[in-house]
Amino acid sequence: MTNCKAVEIAKNIYWVGAVDWSMRNFHGYTTSRGTTYNAYLIIDEKITLIDTAKIDFKDELLARISSVIDPAKIDVIISSHVESDHSGSLREVAEIAKNAEIFTTNPNGLKGLTARYGNLNYKAVKAGDSISIGARTLQFVPTPMLHWPDSMVTYCPEEKILFSNDAFGEHLATSMRFDDENDLDTILFEAKKYYANILMPFGKQAQVALKALGDLEINLIATGHGVIWRKNISKIIDCYKFWSSEEVNERAVVVFDSMWHSTEILAQTITEAFARRGIPAAYYDIKKTPLSDIVTDIFKSKYLAVGSPTINNQMMPTIAAFLCYIKGLRPLNHKGFAFGSYGWGGQSIAQVEDELKAAGVEIILDKIRIANLPTEKQLDEISEKIAALQL
Ligand code: FEO
């Protein structure tokens, strides 16, 4: 058992989650600042726990709960989301809180929890359902695909707290629980990165959820990861409105791998050509920056140029992995093209173009294929083509 304590976030409402300072890879997403698994304890006539924590942090969760109340006294557990970072300690908590009822969505929460933890004391809820836990009410709002089909958020009208689970969160390990106790630029960057890597394919569902939550008065957004929003609530909601929209910025991202600097020279030329026509451009050697950071930049940047030399008749495996990731995230309203150098064959550039098309990127320039080292004349021609693009 650890010496961790609960943090009171409102009268008789406590953060009892866990801080994962060392997490650096969250199912492929590079979490360079770690993360938290937030859970909340409400002391009312019915003692209520909202979410648990990843199983590795069960002791931390139980220690924080125990600093307020005997966990055996928990009457109600809300499972907002089946994914194991939130439900991972559910069985262990249920074994201690033997009479607790576990509220989850119907049918997906019920199915997912049963598959993972067997038959526990589940109570299925749907949109519009609420329960009284004494002086407080908990209203359930399903938010399918934010992040899984089972996801829901819970609103407490008496406290004006939205327990939002994955929505509005970010992977950020911190000792301070509230947004205004941390650096806002860092939080917003990590929130954008979280949205880009986790929620990008679900913009339409996010907009439905924002509409459903639109009329709620909110004093706190108690997220499932990272900080609790209390000062910048309208800012993070406005960010979600923009992030979930189809709007993109006039900005270009150039991503490439290179073997002997030729594709690298092309990438530099393309980046500068965009900048010369007034479009800010970012340049990423894929070996130097994690995919999840590159994707964060691509997310709201309208233009995407991807380059790869040819190796064994294929594109570089780094670029193949990147394009596979992009194809899954389905960025909206992106325009782009492929480029690369080659020694012979040169099949990679068409392969990159095909994968960009498969990711939904509109091709606005025929693929740039350069044998061996590009000449100054060829580089000038590439710049001219980018300058002449009808955007
Ligand atoms: Fe934080 Fe989708 O789990």
Side-chain angles (χ1 to χ4, degrees):
M1 192 61 77
T2 75
N3 189 38
C4 296
K5 310 289 186 202
V7 178
E8 193 170 37
I9 63 165
K11 182 73 179 156
N12 286 329
I13 302 180
Y14 298 85
W15 175 84
V16 290
V19 184
D20 193 347
W21 294 100
S22 304
M23 166 61 82
R24 290 294 178 268
N25 187 315
F26 194 98
H27 56 47
Y29 169 158
T30 303
T31 47
S32 47
R33 291 187 169 100
T35 193
T36 69
Y37 313 109
N38 296 338
Y40 301 94
L41 182 70
I42 306 176
I43 306 300
D44 207 318
E45 282 171 32
K46 290 185 178 174
I47 308 297
T48 299
L49 178 67
I50 299 184
D51 293 318
T52 66
K54 190 175 168 181
I55 186 65
D56 317 59
F57 293 84
K58 152 183 76 76
D59 289 347
E60 187 171 330
L61 170 80
L62 289 170
R64 293 195 200 278
I65 296 170
S66 301
S67 71
V68 180
I69 200 163
D70 178 354
K73 293 185 176 168
I74 293 170
D75 301 296
V76 169
I77 302 172
I78 310 294
S79 174
S80 311
H81 181 19
V82 168
E83 195 167 10
S84 306
D85 48 337
H86 306 286
S87 75
S89 304
L90 182 63
R91 185 160 44 208
E92 285 68 21
V93 174
E95 278 169 6
I96 296 168
K98 293 194 185 310
N99 297 317
E101 294 180 315
I102 302 167
F103 291 82
T104 183
T105 53
N106 190 20
N108 293 311
L110 209 48
K111 277 191 212 164
L113 292 181
T114 305
R116 282 170 169 71
Y117 309 112
N119 290 315
L120 299 175
N121 189 13
Y122 302 122
K123 302 287 171 194
V125 297
K126 60 183 187 318
D129 285 354
S130 63
I131 57 170
S132 171
I133 56 169
R136 300 175 181 86
T137 312
L138 298 178
Q139 301 172 346
F140 303 113
V141 182
T143 51
M145 303 319 295
L146 302 179
H147 152 231
W148 281 6
D150 66 281
S151 295
M152 70 171 176
V153 301
T154 300
Y155 180 64
C156 177
E158 295 82 4
E159 303 285 350
K160 301 183 174 54
I161 300 179
L162 179 69
F163 297 95
S164 68
N165 195 259
D166 274 343
F168 308 115
E170 72 286 339
H171 286 312
L172 175 66
T174 167
S175 60
M176 306 305 282
R177 305 274 58 88
F178 289 98
D179 57 340
D180 51 283
E181 299 172 318
N182 290 276
D183 177 65
L184 184 60
D185 288 345
T186 302
I187 302 169
L188 288 172
F189 171 80
E190 293 296 342
K192 182 183 179 191
K193 180 173 171 179
Y194 186 94
Y195 190 101
N197 284 273
I198 304 274
L199 300 177
M200 196 195 300
F202 309 119
K204 283 198 168 56
Q205 291 89 337
Q207 295 218 322
V208 169
L210 285 167
K211 205 168 173 191
L213 302 174
D215 294 332
L216 300 180
E217 273 187 72
I218 299 175
N219 287 343
L220 292 182
I221 299 179
T223 62
H225 297 290
V227 300
I228 297 164
W229 297 96
R230 69 177 170 193
K231 185 174 178 196
N232 298 285
I233 289 172
S234 57
K235 190 176 284 268
I236 187 64
I237 290 176
D238 285 348
C239 283
Y240 262 60
K241 284 178 183 166
F242 174 55
W243 295 339
S244 62
S245 75
E246 297 191 5
E247 261 182 80
V248 280
N249 297 319
E250 284 291 311
R251 178 176 168 81
V253 175
V254 180
V255 185
F256 70 97
D257 203 345
S258 195
M259 292 165 73
W260 297 106
H261 304 295
S262 293
T263 303
E264 181 183 326
I265 292 166
L266 299 178
Q268 187 186 37
T269 300
I270 292 164
T271 305
E272 296 217 358
F274 272 112
R276 273 199 295 278
R277 63 176 294 172
I279 298 172
Y283 164 104
Y284 292 104
D285 179 339
I286 204 158
K287 294 187 290 298
K288 308 285 173 62
T289 308
L291 285 188
S292 39
D293 287 323
I294 299 174
V295 157
T296 306
D297 203 354
I298 289 171
F299 172 37
K300 285 294 176 186
S301 299
K302 189 189 285 184
Y303 308 107
L304 173 61
V306 180
S308 174
T310 300
I311 182 167
N312 302 326
N313 302 329
Q314 302 295 320
M315 67 180 98
M316 296 286 277
T318 46
I319 292 294
F322 160 73
L323 288 167
C324 174
Y325 195 48
I326 286 286
K327 199 158 56 171
L329 290 171
R330 305 196 299 272
L332 287 175
N333 288 339
H334 280 59
K335 300 169 189 283
F337 58 89
F339 65 95
S341 73
Y342 62 97
W344 61 101
Q347 298 91 333
S348 62
I349 304 113
Q351 292 165 1
V352 169
E353 187 180 85
D354 286 347
E355 289 301 292
L356 283 173
K357 285 181 193 165
V361 175
E362 180 192 342
I363 301 300
I364 53 169
L365 181 64
D366 193 24
K367 50 195 167 295
I368 297 168
R369 299 174 78 253
I370 300 291
N372 300 304
L373 198 61
T375 63
E376 279 298 319
K377 182 169 179 290
Q378 285 172 318
L379 295 177
D380 286 343
E381 284 167 2
I382 291 168
S383 296
E384 285 159 17
K385 280 182 185 171
I386 291 169
L389 277 175
Q390 299 294 313
L391 300 175

